[in-house]
Amino acid sequence: MISKSIKYVGVNDRNIDLFEGQYDVPNGMAYNSYVILDEKIAVMDTVDAAFTHEWLDNLAAVLGNRKPNYLVVQHMEPDHSANILNFTKAYPDATVVSSEKAFRMMQNFFGADFAENRIVVGEGNSLSLGVHELHFVTAPMVHWPEVIVTYESTEKVLFSADGFGKFGALDVDEDWACEARRYYFGIVGKYGAQVQSLLKKASALDIQTICPLHGPILKENLGYYLGLYNTWSSYQPEEEGIVIAYTSVYGNTKKAVLKLADELRSKGCPKVVVNDLARCDMAEAVEDAFRYSKLVLATTTYNADIFPFMREFIEHLTERNYSNRTVAFIENGSWAPLAAKVMREMLSKSKNITFAENTVKIMSALNADSNSQLVALSDELCREYLAQQDTTANKNDLTALFNIGYGLYVVTSNDGKKDNGLIVNTVTQVTNTPNRIAVTINKENYSHHVIKQTGKMNINCLTVEAPFKVFEAFGFVSGRNVDKFANCEPLRSDNGLVFLPRYINSFMSLKVEQYVDLETHGMFICSVTEARVLSDKETMTYTYYQNNVKPKPETEGKKGFVCKVCGYVYEGDTLPEDIVCPLCKHGAADFEEIK
C-alpha cells in the first residue's frame, strides 16, 4: 500500500532468468501496477503476460465491488502493457489513457487502438479523478519514444514509468543502487540527454513518493535517488576509482593486470575493480565502467584486431555514450601489437575522454621494460591520489599558483560546526615575493563571515571536467542553512579544512594576512601555507562555464523571463518583484526577459 487511496497491485516474477533476453536477474523482477481510488478510479499500467490472472486477481481484490474508470498506459514494453487487451475485456466501460504514439503501438501489438474509448494525452494535459489530479509529462526515449510519466499532485506522487527502476523482485532485501545502476546503464543509459530533460521537468514538482514500474516504491531520501540519476544521465563518474577490464589467452595479460592492480592500491587508489571480460557478467562490467572515474583496458592483439570480449565491452560503452573519463591501455602481442591502436580508435568519438600518456606494451610476457611501463602508468593514474595523502603529497608545490587565472574556484572554510564552500571567480596572485593571494567575497555570503572570523580558507581550482552539480552545490544554496558536505567524507589539508576529492587540479591553503573593505565585498590578502597539485587538467574559466557547463535555458516558443545564473524559465507577462528562483535561489535582479 502506498497510501489509503493508492494501492499496489503488481507482481513478482521469480521464474525469469534473463530480463529482456540478456540481463541476468538472479533475484527475479517486479512488474509494478498501481490503483488510485477516488470518485473515479485509475489503474496505472498492467503487467507481463505470464501474470495475467494474478494481476487481475490483485486488481479485483483492491476494487471490491467498484469498476475502474481509466487505465493509464505510460509505457508500451510488453512487460508493462501485455494485459491492456485483457483489462478492456474485463472492464469494457473503462477508458484507456495514453500518448498518441502509444496508441499506434497498441495497434501493432493488439490489432486495436481503442479509438472508440480512449483519451490521448501529452505534455501538460491533466485528468481529474475527484480529489486526485493526474498531470501528464512526456518522457520520449526514457527509454521508448511513447513514454509518459504521471504526477499526482494531491499526494505528490510521481509514477515514473521505467525511471528509477531496478532489477530484483520486491521481496528481496538488497542494495537499491547496485541493481538500479546495472538496470539504468544496461537499459536506459544511451538516453542520458532525455533523462536530463525529464529531471529538469521533475525539479519543478514537489515529489514525495516515486512509484516506478520496476523495483521498490521510493518514499525517503528522494534527493539521493534523484542525485544518482542526475550523475548517471550526465555521464559523470559516481565514485573515484579505477576499473581494469581485461581478456587474457594464456595468462600473461592477466599477470600484468594483477600487478597493476597491486600498484594502484599501494599508491592510494580508493577503489580498484578487476573484471575478466571472458568470465564476468558483462552488464556488471559496464556498470563498473560508468560508476568509476578511470578505466584501464587490457587485451591481446587477435586476428589483427582485439579479443572479441574486449570488442563487445567497448561497443557496450560507446553505444551508451561513455564519456568524461580517463582511459589507459595495456596491449599484448607476440609479433605485431595492435590492440592499443584499435581500442583507442573505437573510443575516438567518445566525448571528454582523457587518454593516459603511458601505454603498456607487452611482447608475449612481462619483462623489465613492460614492468617499468606498468609502474609509470600506475604513477600517472594515481597522481592525484598520491597528492591527496599526507604521507605522499608534495605540500609545497608552488606550481599550483600557475593554475590561478580568471577561473572558477571553490573556497572552503569551517565555522567550527560544519564545513562550508562557495563558488568564486575572484582569486588573484598579487605578489610572488612573498607569495600573496587575494580572494574577494561578497559580504552577503556566509563564507565571508566565517573567513573573517577564522582567518583561513582553502582555494580549490576547478577543472573543465567539473559538472553543473558542483555549481549547484556550492553556488545556489547558503552554508548557513545547508551542510554542503553532509553526504561525503571530505579530505583535509594541514589547516583542517576540506579540499575537494574530484574536479580540481590543485588547491592552496591560505592564511589571511590583511583585510580590505570594498563596501559590498571584502578582499582577503593571504599567504600560502600549503599548495598541492593533483593533476595537469585545464582550469575552468568563467567563459568555459558559460559556454559548456551551464545548462542552456529552453526558451524557444516561451514568453517570460530566464534566470541568468542557472537558466530556470519563469513563464508569464510580468516578473514578480519578490520572485526567488526555485533552483539557485537568486532574486528578480538576476532574471532577464526572453526575447
Side-chain angles (χ1 to χ4, degrees):
M1 182 176 75
I2 293 86
S3 71
K4 291 182 179 180
S5 301
I6 303 177
K7 311 293 185 180
Y8 180 83
V9 291
V11 298
N12 284 321
D13 184 352
R14 282 300 202 158
N15 299 318
I16 188 171
D17 59 342
L18 294 177
F19 183 72
E20 290 192 350
Q22 58 178 319
Y23 298 106
D24 183 37
V25 282
N27 290 325
M29 285 297 295
Y31 309 124
N32 296 342
S33 175
Y34 309 90
V35 175
I36 305 174
L37 299 171
D38 204 329
E39 294 174 21
K40 294 184 177 180
I41 297 174
V43 178
M44 308 299 294
D45 296 290
T46 76
V47 301
D48 188 83
F51 298 90
T52 299
H53 295 293
E54 182 178 340
W55 177 66
L56 288 173
D57 287 347
N58 291 345
L59 189 55
V62 166
L63 292 172
N65 296 324
R66 300 184 67 187
K67 303 291 184 184
N69 300 91
Y70 304 108
L71 171 65
V72 178
V73 178
Q74 299 184 113
H75 184 22
M76 279 300 298
E77 270 193 294
D79 54 333
H80 308 301
S81 67
N83 282 293
I84 293 174
L85 197 58
N86 290 323
F87 174 89
T88 61
K89 291 178 180 177
Y91 303 103
D93 294 329
T95 300
V96 181
V97 180
S98 196
S99 67
E100 183 177 355
K101 289 181 179 178
F103 282 114
R104 291 204 295 268
M105 291 183 180
M106 290 178 207
Q107 181 69 46
N108 297 335
F109 276 113
F110 309 118
D113 62 2
F114 308 99
E116 301 300 319
N117 199 11
R118 73 182 191 185
I119 297 175
V120 178
V121 295
E123 185 74 36
N125 292 148
S126 60
L127 179 66
S128 177
L129 304 180
V131 174
H132 296 78
E133 296 281 339
L134 304 183
H135 303 269
F136 300 102
V137 178
T138 58
M141 300 317 300
V142 186
H143 60 114
W144 276 23
E146 86 297 351
V147 174
I148 56 174
V149 301
T150 307
Y151 177 65
E152 196 291 297
S153 57
T154 300
E155 297 196 53
K156 305 183 187 330
V157 178
L158 179 67
F159 296 91
S160 60
D162 269 350
F164 302 98
K166 64 177 284 293
F167 296 128
L170 296 190
D171 56 1
V172 176
D173 183 15
E174 62 184 1
D175 177 63
W176 182 89
C178 182
E179 288 295 67
R181 186 187 300 108
R182 186 165 70 98
Y183 174 91
Y184 176 87
F185 284 112
I187 295 169
V188 188
K190 181 176 181 178
Y191 303 106
Q194 290 83 353
V195 174
Q196 282 282 301
S197 178
L198 179 58
L199 288 174
K200 189 171 184 178
K201 295 176 184 179
S203 69
L205 304 174
D206 180 7
I207 301 170
Q208 301 297 321
T209 304
I210 298 176
C211 291
L213 289 178
H214 295 296
I217 289 87
L218 307 176
K219 289 188 175 184
E220 298 178 356
N221 198 18
L222 296 187
Y224 168 73
Y225 305 108
L226 290 163
L228 283 178
Y229 253 64
N230 183 49
T231 297
W232 298 342
S233 59
S234 58
Y235 302 105
Q236 296 295 332
E238 182 184 339
E239 296 180 39
E240 196 66 38
I242 300 174
V243 176
I244 309 175
Y246 78 95
T247 63
S248 187
V249 180
Y250 297 110
N252 289 307
T253 305
K254 179 179 180 179
K255 289 179 181 178
V257 163
L258 296 180
K259 180 177 178 62
L260 176 63
D262 288 340
E263 288 281 342
L264 297 174
R265 293 187 186 101
S266 71
K267 292 171 182 174
C269 181
K271 183 70 175 181
V272 179
V273 179
V274 179
N275 284 315
D276 178 353
L277 297 177
R279 294 174 173 83
C280 70
D281 181 343
M282 186 65 73
E284 292 273 8
V286 170
E287 173 198 346
D288 286 336
F290 279 97
R291 181 175 183 176
Y292 296 102
S293 55
K294 298 176 184 179
L295 175 66
V296 179
L297 301 173
T299 194
T300 52
T301 301
Y302 189 82
N303 290 336
D305 200 270
I306 56 176
F307 207 72
F309 290 114
M310 179 60 73
R311 173 166 284 279
E312 179 188 354
F313 177 66
I314 297 175
E315 286 173 347
H316 278 302
L317 299 184
T318 55
E319 177 189 349
R320 291 161 175 81
N321 301 322
Y322 191 70
S323 51
N324 303 312
R325 302 299 195 283
T326 296
V327 177
F329 303 113
I330 299 174
E331 64 176 359
N332 194 342
S334 294
W335 57 89
L338 292 171
K341 178 183 177 182
V342 172
M343 291 188 288
R344 189 175 186 126
E345 288 176 351
M346 290 183 70
L347 289 162
S348 63
K349 294 183 180 179
S350 297
K351 296 180 179 179
N352 299 325
I353 297 293
T354 301
F355 293 108
E357 292 182 6
N358 291 282
T359 294
V360 178
K361 180 181 292 187
I362 303 168
M363 300 299 290
S364 299
L366 282 171
N367 57 25
D369 186 32
S370 50
N371 270 308
S372 66
Q373 292 173 26
L374 280 174
V375 173
L377 178 59
S378 67
D379 286 340
E380 179 182 356
L381 293 176
C382 290
R383 180 181 179 184
E384 65 261 50
Y385 309 139
L386 292 168
Q388 290 169 357
Q389 300 172 79
D390 285 343
T391 55
T392 55
N394 176 1
K395 299 181 182 180
N396 295 293
D397 190 349
L398 296 180
T399 60
L401 297 170
F402 300 156
N403 291 319
I404 295 177
Y406 188 45
L408 289 165
Y409 312 87
V410 174
V411 176
T412 53
S413 58
N414 187 291
D415 63 4
K417 296 180 180 178
K418 65 177 182 293
D419 297 301
N420 191 29
L422 88 158
I423 300 286
V424 303
N425 63 345
T426 48
V427 177
T428 309
Q429 182 180 3
V430 290
T431 63
N432 64 356
T433 309
N435 283 309
R436 290 289 185 264
I437 306 296
V439 183
T440 304
I441 301 177
N442 192 310
K443 290 181 180 178
E444 293 184 0
N445 288 319
Y446 183 58
S447 292
H448 176 276
H449 169 73
V450 172
I451 295 168
K452 197 171 182 184
Q453 296 293 319
T454 63
K456 60 182 182 179
M457 71 182 93
N458 281 352
I459 299 296
N460 298 264
C461 300
L462 293 172
T463 71
V464 292
E465 294 181 335
F468 186 62
K469 68 178 181 181
V470 172
F471 298 89
E472 289 181 298
F474 295 110
F476 292 173
V477 292
S478 171
R480 182 180 289 278
N481 306 317
V482 175
D483 185 350
K484 299 184 181 183
F485 293 92
N487 297 317
C488 70
E489 296 182 9
L491 302 171
R492 297 192 184 277
S493 55
D494 287 350
N495 64 2
L497 298 182
V498 169
F499 65 92
L500 302 190
R502 289 163 59 186
Y503 308 128
I504 65 171
N505 54 29
S506 55
F507 79 85
M508 284 154 280
S509 296
L510 305 183
K511 177 184 176 184
V512 178
E513 303 288 353
Q514 182 182 351
Y515 177 78
V516 181
D517 193 321
L518 300 175
E519 296 184 2
T520 59
H521 291 64
M523 178 184 289
F524 300 92
I525 309 297
C526 307
S527 57
V528 181
T529 61
E530 184 178 351
R532 300 192 204 180
V533 175
L534 282 73
S535 76
D536 55 5
K537 293 173 181 176
E538 184 180 352
T539 297
M540 180 178 291
T541 65
Y542 185 75
T543 301
Y544 186 94
Y545 166 77
Q546 290 290 334
N547 292 338
N548 300 284
V549 180
K550 175 182 171 183
K552 301 297 186 292
E554 298 177 3
T555 58
E556 185 176 351
K558 296 181 179 179
K559 182 179 181 181
F561 302 83
V562 61
C563 176
K564 293 182 289 185
V565 177
C566 69
Y568 170 77
V569 175
Y570 174 84
E571 295 189 68
D573 294 329
T574 59
L575 183 71
E577 294 182 1
D578 60 349
I579 189 172
V580 175
C581 177
L583 300 183
C584 70
K585 311 306 179 187
H586 282 240
D590 289 309
F591 281 78
E592 62 184 3
E593 188 174 2
I594 298 171
K595 298 180 180 178

